[in-house]
Short mmCIF file of all heavy atoms in Angstrom, two decimals:
data_model
loop_
_atom_site.label_atom_id
_atom_site.label_comp_id
_atom_site.label_asym_id
_atom_site.label_seq_id
_atom_site.Cartn_x
_atom_site.Cartn_y
_atom_site.Cartn_z
N MET A 8 145.43 -88.51 -49.12
CA MET A 8 143.95 -88.56 -49.08
C MET A 8 143.38 -87.30 -49.71
O MET A 8 143.70 -86.19 -49.28
CB MET A 8 143.48 -88.63 -47.62
CG MET A 8 143.55 -90.04 -47.06
SD MET A 8 142.25 -91.10 -47.67
CE MET A 8 142.15 -92.24 -46.30
N PRO A 9 142.56 -87.44 -50.69
CA PRO A 9 141.97 -86.25 -51.33
C PRO A 9 140.81 -85.71 -50.52
O PRO A 9 139.65 -85.87 -50.87
CB PRO A 9 141.52 -86.78 -52.69
CG PRO A 9 141.24 -88.23 -52.46
CD PRO A 9 142.15 -88.68 -51.34
N LEU A 10 141.15 -85.08 -49.43
CA LEU A 10 140.11 -84.53 -48.57
C LEU A 10 139.95 -83.05 -48.88
O LEU A 10 140.90 -82.28 -48.81
CB LEU A 10 140.51 -84.71 -47.11
CG LEU A 10 139.52 -84.20 -46.07
CD1 LEU A 10 138.22 -84.99 -46.13
CD2 LEU A 10 140.12 -84.31 -44.68
N PHE A 11 138.74 -82.67 -49.25
CA PHE A 11 138.49 -81.28 -49.63
C PHE A 11 137.41 -80.67 -48.74
O PHE A 11 136.54 -81.37 -48.23
CB PHE A 11 138.04 -81.20 -51.09
CG PHE A 11 139.08 -81.67 -52.06
CD1 PHE A 11 138.93 -82.87 -52.72
CD2 PHE A 11 140.22 -80.92 -52.29
CE1 PHE A 11 139.89 -83.32 -53.62
CE2 PHE A 11 141.19 -81.35 -53.18
CZ PHE A 11 141.03 -82.56 -53.84
N SER A 12 137.50 -79.37 -48.60
CA SER A 12 136.48 -78.65 -47.86
C SER A 12 135.54 -77.98 -48.86
O SER A 12 135.98 -77.45 -49.87
CB SER A 12 137.13 -77.60 -46.97
OG SER A 12 137.94 -78.22 -46.00
N TYR A 13 134.28 -78.03 -48.52
CA TYR A 13 133.29 -77.42 -49.39
C TYR A 13 132.37 -76.51 -48.58
O TYR A 13 132.16 -76.72 -47.39
CB TYR A 13 132.44 -78.49 -50.08
CG TYR A 13 133.19 -79.28 -51.10
CD1 TYR A 13 133.84 -80.45 -50.75
CD2 TYR A 13 133.27 -78.84 -52.41
CE1 TYR A 13 134.55 -81.18 -51.68
CE2 TYR A 13 133.98 -79.56 -53.35
CZ TYR A 13 134.62 -80.73 -52.99
OH TYR A 13 135.32 -81.43 -53.90
N HIS A 14 131.86 -75.54 -49.29
CA HIS A 14 130.84 -74.67 -48.71
C HIS A 14 129.59 -74.81 -49.55
O HIS A 14 129.62 -74.58 -50.76
CB HIS A 14 131.35 -73.22 -48.71
CG HIS A 14 130.28 -72.24 -48.33
ND1 HIS A 14 129.80 -71.29 -49.19
CD2 HIS A 14 129.60 -72.09 -47.17
CE1 HIS A 14 128.87 -70.58 -48.58
NE2 HIS A 14 128.72 -71.05 -47.36
N CYS A 15 128.52 -75.23 -48.91
CA CYS A 15 127.26 -75.38 -49.63
C CYS A 15 126.60 -74.02 -49.78
O CYS A 15 126.33 -73.33 -48.79
CB CYS A 15 126.34 -76.34 -48.86
SG CYS A 15 124.70 -76.45 -49.60
N THR A 16 126.36 -73.65 -51.02
CA THR A 16 125.73 -72.35 -51.25
C THR A 16 124.23 -72.42 -50.99
O THR A 16 123.56 -71.41 -50.89
CB THR A 16 125.97 -71.87 -52.69
OG1 THR A 16 125.48 -72.86 -53.59
CG2 THR A 16 127.45 -71.66 -52.93
N GLY A 17 123.71 -73.64 -50.86
CA GLY A 17 122.28 -73.79 -50.61
C GLY A 17 121.91 -73.52 -49.17
O GLY A 17 120.97 -72.79 -48.89
N CYS A 18 122.67 -74.11 -48.24
CA CYS A 18 122.29 -73.99 -46.84
C CYS A 18 123.43 -73.42 -46.00
O CYS A 18 123.34 -73.40 -44.77
CB CYS A 18 121.84 -75.34 -46.29
SG CYS A 18 123.17 -76.56 -46.23
N ASP A 19 124.48 -72.95 -46.67
CA ASP A 19 125.55 -72.25 -45.95
C ASP A 19 126.28 -73.15 -44.96
O ASP A 19 126.69 -72.72 -43.89
CB ASP A 19 124.99 -71.02 -45.25
CG ASP A 19 126.08 -69.97 -45.03
OD1 ASP A 19 126.98 -69.88 -45.88
OD2 ASP A 19 126.04 -69.27 -44.01
N THR A 20 126.39 -74.41 -45.31
CA THR A 20 127.10 -75.35 -44.47
C THR A 20 128.49 -75.60 -45.03
O THR A 20 128.66 -75.66 -46.25
CB THR A 20 126.34 -76.69 -44.40
OG1 THR A 20 125.09 -76.48 -43.77
CG2 THR A 20 127.12 -77.74 -43.62
N GLU A 21 129.44 -75.71 -44.15
CA GLU A 21 130.77 -76.13 -44.60
C GLU A 21 131.01 -77.56 -44.15
O GLU A 21 130.66 -77.94 -43.04
CB GLU A 21 131.85 -75.21 -44.02
CG GLU A 21 131.88 -73.87 -44.72
CD GLU A 21 133.07 -73.04 -44.27
OE1 GLU A 21 133.99 -73.58 -43.63
OE2 GLU A 21 133.07 -71.84 -44.56
N PHE A 22 131.60 -78.32 -45.03
CA PHE A 22 131.89 -79.70 -44.68
C PHE A 22 133.11 -80.16 -45.46
O PHE A 22 133.54 -79.53 -46.42
CB PHE A 22 130.68 -80.60 -44.98
CG PHE A 22 130.33 -80.66 -46.45
CD1 PHE A 22 130.79 -81.71 -47.23
CD2 PHE A 22 129.55 -79.69 -47.01
CE1 PHE A 22 130.47 -81.77 -48.58
CE2 PHE A 22 129.22 -79.74 -48.37
CZ PHE A 22 129.69 -80.79 -49.15
N GLU A 23 133.65 -81.26 -45.01
CA GLU A 23 134.78 -81.85 -45.70
C GLU A 23 134.35 -83.17 -46.30
O GLU A 23 133.55 -83.91 -45.71
CB GLU A 23 135.94 -82.08 -44.73
CG GLU A 23 136.55 -80.77 -44.28
CD GLU A 23 137.71 -81.00 -43.32
OE1 GLU A 23 137.68 -81.99 -42.57
OE2 GLU A 23 138.64 -80.20 -43.33
N ALA A 24 134.85 -83.45 -47.48
CA ALA A 24 134.47 -84.69 -48.14
C ALA A 24 135.69 -85.30 -48.81
O ALA A 24 136.57 -84.60 -49.31
CB ALA A 24 133.39 -84.41 -49.19
N LEU A 25 135.71 -86.60 -48.76
CA LEU A 25 136.73 -87.33 -49.51
C LEU A 25 136.27 -87.43 -50.95
O LEU A 25 135.19 -87.92 -51.23
CB LEU A 25 136.89 -88.73 -48.93
CG LEU A 25 137.83 -88.88 -47.74
CD1 LEU A 25 137.77 -90.31 -47.23
CD2 LEU A 25 139.26 -88.56 -48.16
N VAL A 26 137.08 -86.94 -51.85
CA VAL A 26 136.70 -86.98 -53.25
C VAL A 26 137.71 -87.83 -53.99
O VAL A 26 138.90 -87.52 -54.04
CB VAL A 26 136.67 -85.56 -53.85
CG1 VAL A 26 136.29 -85.62 -55.32
CG2 VAL A 26 135.70 -84.69 -53.08
N ILE A 27 137.22 -88.90 -54.52
CA ILE A 27 138.10 -89.82 -55.23
C ILE A 27 137.73 -89.80 -56.71
O ILE A 27 136.57 -89.96 -57.07
CB ILE A 27 137.96 -91.24 -54.65
CG1 ILE A 27 138.45 -91.23 -53.19
CG2 ILE A 27 138.75 -92.24 -55.49
CD1 ILE A 27 138.04 -92.45 -52.41
N GLY A 28 138.72 -89.56 -57.53
CA GLY A 28 138.46 -89.50 -58.96
C GLY A 28 137.58 -88.31 -59.30
O GLY A 28 137.80 -87.20 -58.84
N ALA A 29 136.56 -88.57 -60.08
CA ALA A 29 135.68 -87.49 -60.53
C ALA A 29 134.40 -87.44 -59.70
O ALA A 29 133.41 -86.89 -60.14
CB ALA A 29 135.36 -87.66 -62.01
N ASP A 30 134.46 -88.02 -58.52
CA ASP A 30 133.28 -88.01 -57.68
C ASP A 30 132.82 -86.59 -57.39
O ASP A 30 133.63 -85.70 -57.17
CB ASP A 30 133.57 -88.70 -56.34
CG ASP A 30 133.36 -90.20 -56.43
OD1 ASP A 30 133.08 -90.68 -57.54
OD2 ASP A 30 133.51 -90.87 -55.41
N GLN A 31 131.53 -86.40 -57.40
CA GLN A 31 130.96 -85.09 -57.09
C GLN A 31 130.31 -85.18 -55.72
O GLN A 31 129.34 -85.90 -55.53
CB GLN A 31 129.93 -84.71 -58.15
CG GLN A 31 129.12 -83.46 -57.81
CD GLN A 31 129.98 -82.21 -57.83
OE1 GLN A 31 130.62 -81.90 -58.82
NE2 GLN A 31 130.02 -81.50 -56.71
N PRO A 32 130.87 -84.48 -54.75
CA PRO A 32 130.28 -84.55 -53.42
C PRO A 32 128.97 -83.79 -53.37
O PRO A 32 128.71 -82.91 -54.20
CB PRO A 32 131.33 -83.87 -52.54
CG PRO A 32 132.04 -82.94 -53.46
CD PRO A 32 132.03 -83.59 -54.83
N ALA A 33 128.18 -84.15 -52.40
CA ALA A 33 126.92 -83.44 -52.19
C ALA A 33 126.85 -83.01 -50.74
O ALA A 33 127.43 -83.64 -49.86
CB ALA A 33 125.74 -84.34 -52.54
N CYS A 34 126.14 -81.94 -50.50
CA CYS A 34 125.99 -81.43 -49.15
C CYS A 34 125.33 -82.48 -48.25
O CYS A 34 124.28 -83.02 -48.61
CB CYS A 34 125.15 -80.16 -49.19
SG CYS A 34 124.75 -79.55 -47.55
N PRO A 35 125.94 -82.79 -47.13
CA PRO A 35 125.34 -83.78 -46.23
C PRO A 35 124.08 -83.26 -45.57
O PRO A 35 123.29 -84.03 -45.01
CB PRO A 35 126.45 -84.04 -45.20
CG PRO A 35 127.27 -82.79 -45.20
CD PRO A 35 127.19 -82.24 -46.60
N ASP A 36 123.90 -81.97 -45.61
CA ASP A 36 122.76 -81.37 -44.92
C ASP A 36 121.53 -81.34 -45.82
O ASP A 36 120.46 -81.80 -45.44
CB ASP A 36 123.14 -79.95 -44.51
CG ASP A 36 122.88 -79.72 -43.03
OD1 ASP A 36 122.79 -80.72 -42.30
OD2 ASP A 36 122.77 -78.56 -42.63
N CYS A 37 121.70 -80.77 -47.02
CA CYS A 37 120.54 -80.57 -47.88
C CYS A 37 120.65 -81.33 -49.19
O CYS A 37 119.72 -81.34 -49.99
CB CYS A 37 120.35 -79.07 -48.16
SG CYS A 37 121.63 -78.37 -49.22
N GLY A 38 121.79 -81.98 -49.41
CA GLY A 38 121.93 -82.79 -50.61
C GLY A 38 122.27 -82.00 -51.86
O GLY A 38 122.39 -82.57 -52.94
N SER A 39 122.46 -80.71 -51.71
CA SER A 39 122.75 -79.89 -52.87
C SER A 39 124.15 -80.18 -53.41
O SER A 39 125.05 -80.54 -52.67
CB SER A 39 122.64 -78.42 -52.49
OG SER A 39 123.14 -77.62 -53.55
N VAL A 40 124.31 -80.03 -54.70
CA VAL A 40 125.65 -80.14 -55.28
C VAL A 40 126.15 -78.78 -55.73
O VAL A 40 127.15 -78.66 -56.42
CB VAL A 40 125.66 -81.13 -56.47
CG1 VAL A 40 125.40 -82.55 -55.99
CG2 VAL A 40 124.68 -80.73 -57.54
N GLU A 41 125.45 -77.74 -55.30
CA GLU A 41 125.90 -76.38 -55.58
C GLU A 41 126.91 -76.00 -54.50
O GLU A 41 126.57 -75.42 -53.48
CB GLU A 41 124.73 -75.40 -55.57
CG GLU A 41 123.67 -75.71 -56.60
CD GLU A 41 124.19 -75.47 -58.01
OE1 GLU A 41 124.89 -74.46 -58.23
OE2 GLU A 41 123.91 -76.31 -58.89
N LEU A 42 128.15 -76.38 -54.76
CA LEU A 42 129.16 -76.26 -53.72
C LEU A 42 130.31 -75.38 -54.17
O LEU A 42 130.66 -75.36 -55.35
CB LEU A 42 129.71 -77.64 -53.37
CG LEU A 42 128.68 -78.71 -53.02
CD1 LEU A 42 129.35 -80.06 -52.89
CD2 LEU A 42 127.94 -78.35 -51.75
N GLU A 43 130.84 -74.68 -53.23
CA GLU A 43 132.10 -73.97 -53.46
C GLU A 43 133.21 -74.82 -52.87
O GLU A 43 133.14 -75.24 -51.73
CB GLU A 43 132.10 -72.62 -52.74
CG GLU A 43 131.32 -71.55 -53.43
CD GLU A 43 131.33 -70.28 -52.58
OE1 GLU A 43 131.85 -70.32 -51.46
OE2 GLU A 43 130.83 -69.27 -53.06
N LYS A 44 134.21 -75.03 -53.67
CA LYS A 44 135.34 -75.78 -53.15
C LYS A 44 136.26 -74.83 -52.40
O LYS A 44 136.67 -73.80 -52.91
CB LYS A 44 136.10 -76.41 -54.33
CG LYS A 44 137.07 -77.48 -53.92
CD LYS A 44 137.58 -78.13 -55.19
CE LYS A 44 138.56 -79.23 -54.87
NZ LYS A 44 139.07 -79.83 -56.11
N LEU A 45 136.52 -75.18 -51.17
CA LEU A 45 137.40 -74.36 -50.36
C LEU A 45 138.79 -74.99 -50.36
O LEU A 45 138.94 -76.18 -50.57
CB LEU A 45 136.89 -74.27 -48.92
CG LEU A 45 135.45 -73.78 -48.77
CD1 LEU A 45 135.05 -73.84 -47.31
CD2 LEU A 45 135.31 -72.37 -49.30
N LEU A 46 139.74 -74.16 -50.11
CA LEU A 46 141.08 -74.70 -49.97
C LEU A 46 141.16 -75.49 -48.68
O LEU A 46 140.97 -74.95 -47.60
CB LEU A 46 142.11 -73.56 -49.95
CG LEU A 46 142.41 -72.95 -51.32
CD1 LEU A 46 143.42 -71.83 -51.15
CD2 LEU A 46 142.98 -74.00 -52.26
N SER A 47 141.42 -76.75 -48.84
CA SER A 47 141.55 -77.59 -47.66
C SER A 47 142.71 -77.11 -46.82
O SER A 47 143.76 -76.74 -47.32
CB SER A 47 141.75 -79.03 -48.08
OG SER A 47 142.43 -79.73 -47.07
N ARG A 48 142.49 -77.15 -45.53
CA ARG A 48 143.58 -76.76 -44.63
C ARG A 48 144.78 -77.69 -44.80
O ARG A 48 145.91 -77.29 -44.68
CB ARG A 48 143.08 -76.81 -43.19
CG ARG A 48 142.63 -75.46 -42.70
CD ARG A 48 141.83 -75.58 -41.43
NE ARG A 48 140.41 -75.45 -41.69
CZ ARG A 48 139.50 -76.33 -41.35
NH1 ARG A 48 139.85 -77.42 -40.73
NH2 ARG A 48 138.24 -76.14 -41.61
N VAL A 49 144.47 -78.92 -45.11
CA VAL A 49 145.54 -79.89 -45.28
C VAL A 49 146.37 -79.55 -46.51
O VAL A 49 147.58 -79.57 -46.49
CB VAL A 49 144.96 -81.31 -45.41
CG1 VAL A 49 146.09 -82.31 -45.64
CG2 VAL A 49 144.19 -81.67 -44.14
N ALA A 50 145.67 -79.19 -47.57
CA ALA A 50 146.38 -78.92 -48.80
C ALA A 50 147.08 -77.56 -48.76
O ALA A 50 148.16 -77.38 -49.30
CB ALA A 50 145.41 -78.96 -49.98
N ALA A 51 146.43 -76.60 -48.10
CA ALA A 51 146.99 -75.25 -48.09
C ALA A 51 148.23 -75.17 -47.21
O ALA A 51 149.16 -74.46 -47.51
CB ALA A 51 145.94 -74.26 -47.61
N GLU A 52 148.19 -75.88 -46.12
CA GLU A 52 149.31 -75.83 -45.20
C GLU A 52 149.76 -77.25 -44.86
O GLU A 52 149.39 -77.77 -43.82
CB GLU A 52 148.92 -75.11 -43.91
CG GLU A 52 148.80 -73.62 -44.08
CD GLU A 52 148.50 -72.97 -42.74
OE1 GLU A 52 149.36 -73.04 -41.85
OE2 GLU A 52 147.41 -72.41 -42.59
N PRO A 53 150.47 -77.84 -45.76
CA PRO A 53 150.97 -79.18 -45.45
C PRO A 53 151.86 -79.12 -44.23
O PRO A 53 152.73 -78.24 -44.13
CB PRO A 53 151.74 -79.58 -46.71
CG PRO A 53 152.00 -78.32 -47.45
CD PRO A 53 150.95 -77.33 -47.03
N ARG A 54 151.58 -80.01 -43.34
CA ARG A 54 152.31 -79.95 -42.07
C ARG A 54 153.66 -80.66 -42.21
O ARG A 54 153.87 -81.73 -41.67
CB ARG A 54 151.48 -80.57 -40.96
CG ARG A 54 150.23 -79.73 -40.71
CD ARG A 54 149.61 -80.12 -39.39
NE ARG A 54 149.30 -81.56 -39.35
CZ ARG A 54 149.11 -82.23 -38.22
NH1 ARG A 54 149.21 -81.62 -37.08
NH2 ARG A 54 148.82 -83.50 -38.24
N VAL A 55 154.48 -80.05 -43.01
CA VAL A 55 155.81 -80.59 -43.20
C VAL A 55 156.80 -79.59 -42.62
O VAL A 55 157.07 -78.56 -43.24
CB VAL A 55 156.12 -80.82 -44.69
CG1 VAL A 55 157.52 -81.39 -44.85
CG2 VAL A 55 155.09 -81.76 -45.30
N PRO A 56 157.28 -79.83 -41.45
CA PRO A 56 158.25 -78.91 -40.87
C PRO A 56 159.53 -78.91 -41.68
O PRO A 56 159.90 -79.92 -42.26
CB PRO A 56 158.48 -79.48 -39.47
CG PRO A 56 158.13 -80.92 -39.58
CD PRO A 56 157.04 -81.01 -40.62
N GLU A 57 160.15 -77.77 -41.76
CA GLU A 57 161.38 -77.70 -42.53
C GLU A 57 162.46 -78.51 -41.85
O GLU A 57 162.88 -78.18 -40.74
CB GLU A 57 161.84 -76.24 -42.66
CG GLU A 57 161.00 -75.45 -43.63
CD GLU A 57 161.77 -74.25 -44.16
OE1 GLU A 57 163.01 -74.24 -44.04
OE2 GLU A 57 161.13 -73.34 -44.67
N PRO A 58 162.91 -79.53 -42.53
CA PRO A 58 163.97 -80.33 -41.92
C PRO A 58 165.23 -79.50 -41.75
O PRO A 58 165.51 -78.60 -42.56
CB PRO A 58 164.20 -81.46 -42.93
CG PRO A 58 163.01 -81.44 -43.84
CD PRO A 58 162.50 -80.03 -43.83
N VAL A 59 165.94 -79.77 -40.72
CA VAL A 59 167.15 -79.02 -40.45
C VAL A 59 168.15 -79.23 -41.57
O VAL A 59 168.91 -78.35 -41.92
CB VAL A 59 167.76 -79.46 -39.10
CG1 VAL A 59 169.04 -78.69 -38.81
CG2 VAL A 59 166.75 -79.27 -37.99
N GLY A 60 168.11 -80.41 -42.15
CA GLY A 60 169.12 -80.76 -43.14
C GLY A 60 168.77 -80.40 -44.57
O GLY A 60 169.29 -80.98 -45.49
N ALA A 61 167.86 -79.44 -44.77
CA ALA A 61 167.50 -79.07 -46.13
C ALA A 61 168.72 -78.53 -46.85
O ALA A 61 169.55 -77.82 -46.30
CB ALA A 61 166.41 -78.01 -46.11
N CYS A 62 168.80 -78.87 -48.12
CA CYS A 62 169.95 -78.46 -48.92
C CYS A 62 169.99 -76.94 -49.04
O CYS A 62 169.00 -76.31 -49.39
CB CYS A 62 169.85 -79.09 -50.31
SG CYS A 62 171.12 -78.50 -51.43
N SER A 63 171.11 -76.36 -48.76
CA SER A 63 171.23 -74.91 -48.83
C SER A 63 171.45 -74.44 -50.25
O SER A 63 171.36 -73.25 -50.55
CB SER A 63 172.39 -74.44 -47.94
OG SER A 63 173.59 -75.06 -48.36
N THR A 64 171.74 -75.36 -51.15
CA THR A 64 171.98 -74.99 -52.54
C THR A 64 170.66 -74.89 -53.31
O THR A 64 170.38 -73.89 -53.96
CB THR A 64 172.89 -76.02 -53.22
OG1 THR A 64 174.10 -76.11 -52.50
CG2 THR A 64 173.18 -75.61 -54.67
N CYS A 65 169.85 -75.91 -53.20
CA CYS A 65 168.63 -75.93 -53.99
C CYS A 65 167.37 -75.93 -53.12
O CYS A 65 166.27 -75.84 -53.63
CB CYS A 65 168.62 -77.14 -54.93
SG CYS A 65 168.53 -78.70 -54.04
N GLY A 66 167.53 -76.06 -51.80
CA GLY A 66 166.38 -76.03 -50.92
C GLY A 66 165.61 -77.33 -50.89
O GLY A 66 164.61 -77.43 -50.20
N GLN A 67 166.04 -78.29 -51.63
CA GLN A 67 165.31 -79.55 -51.67
C GLN A 67 165.63 -80.38 -50.43
O GLN A 67 166.74 -80.32 -49.91
CB GLN A 67 165.72 -80.32 -52.92
CG GLN A 67 164.67 -81.31 -53.34
CD GLN A 67 164.96 -81.86 -54.73
OE1 GLN A 67 166.03 -81.65 -55.27
NE2 GLN A 67 164.02 -82.57 -55.29
N TYR A 68 164.63 -81.12 -50.02
CA TYR A 68 164.81 -81.92 -48.82
C TYR A 68 165.12 -83.36 -49.20
O TYR A 68 164.41 -83.96 -49.99
CB TYR A 68 163.56 -81.90 -47.97
CG TYR A 68 163.12 -80.52 -47.59
CD1 TYR A 68 161.78 -80.19 -47.62
CD2 TYR A 68 164.05 -79.56 -47.24
CE1 TYR A 68 161.37 -78.92 -47.28
CE2 TYR A 68 163.64 -78.28 -46.90
CZ TYR A 68 162.31 -77.97 -46.92
OH TYR A 68 161.89 -76.72 -46.59
N GLY A 69 166.14 -83.87 -48.64
CA GLY A 69 166.37 -85.30 -48.74
C GLY A 69 167.07 -85.73 -50.00
O GLY A 69 168.21 -86.15 -49.96
N GLY A 70 166.41 -85.56 -51.14
CA GLY A 70 166.93 -86.20 -52.35
C GLY A 70 167.80 -85.31 -53.20
O GLY A 70 167.88 -85.49 -54.40
N CYS A 71 168.46 -84.35 -52.59
CA CYS A 71 169.26 -83.44 -53.39
C CYS A 71 170.60 -84.08 -53.74
O CYS A 71 171.32 -84.59 -52.89
CB CYS A 71 169.52 -82.15 -52.62
SG CYS A 71 170.63 -81.04 -53.49
N ALA A 72 170.93 -84.01 -55.02
CA ALA A 72 172.19 -84.61 -55.47
C ALA A 72 173.35 -83.65 -55.24
O ALA A 72 174.50 -84.05 -55.11
CB ALA A 72 172.10 -84.97 -56.95
N ALA A 73 173.04 -82.36 -55.19
CA ALA A 73 174.12 -81.37 -55.08
C ALA A 73 174.59 -81.20 -53.64
O ALA A 73 175.73 -80.86 -53.39
CB ALA A 73 173.64 -80.03 -55.63
N GLY A 74 173.68 -81.42 -52.71
CA GLY A 74 173.99 -81.09 -51.33
C GLY A 74 174.47 -82.26 -50.50
O GLY A 74 175.62 -82.68 -50.57
N ARG A 75 173.51 -82.80 -49.76
CA ARG A 75 173.89 -83.77 -48.75
C ARG A 75 174.36 -85.08 -49.37
O ARG A 75 174.01 -85.42 -50.48
CB ARG A 75 172.67 -84.06 -47.86
CG ARG A 75 171.96 -82.82 -47.46
CD ARG A 75 170.53 -83.12 -47.07
NE ARG A 75 170.51 -84.00 -45.90
CZ ARG A 75 169.41 -84.64 -45.50
NH1 ARG A 75 168.31 -84.53 -46.18
NH2 ARG A 75 169.43 -85.39 -44.42
N SER A 76 175.10 -85.79 -48.62
CA SER A 76 175.51 -87.11 -49.07
C SER A 76 174.69 -88.14 -48.33
O SER A 76 174.20 -87.86 -47.26
CB SER A 76 177.00 -87.34 -48.81
OG SER A 76 177.29 -87.08 -47.46
ZN1 ZN B 4 123.51 -77.70 -48.11
#
């Protein structure tokens, strides 16, 4: 899901918006499109715990040809 966080420079509101394709979100508060894109918490910290079985050779999870069988 392309969920992004934005900060409206017009009214100092932060909000999250689903942005699909080239959609331009607008502030839900004041309707401004003068927005700063913030790093989404979802994107910045994907909640993928390190699997115990990560390949020790290449660090890849799951699909490593060199490591796990
Ligand atoms: Zn606003």
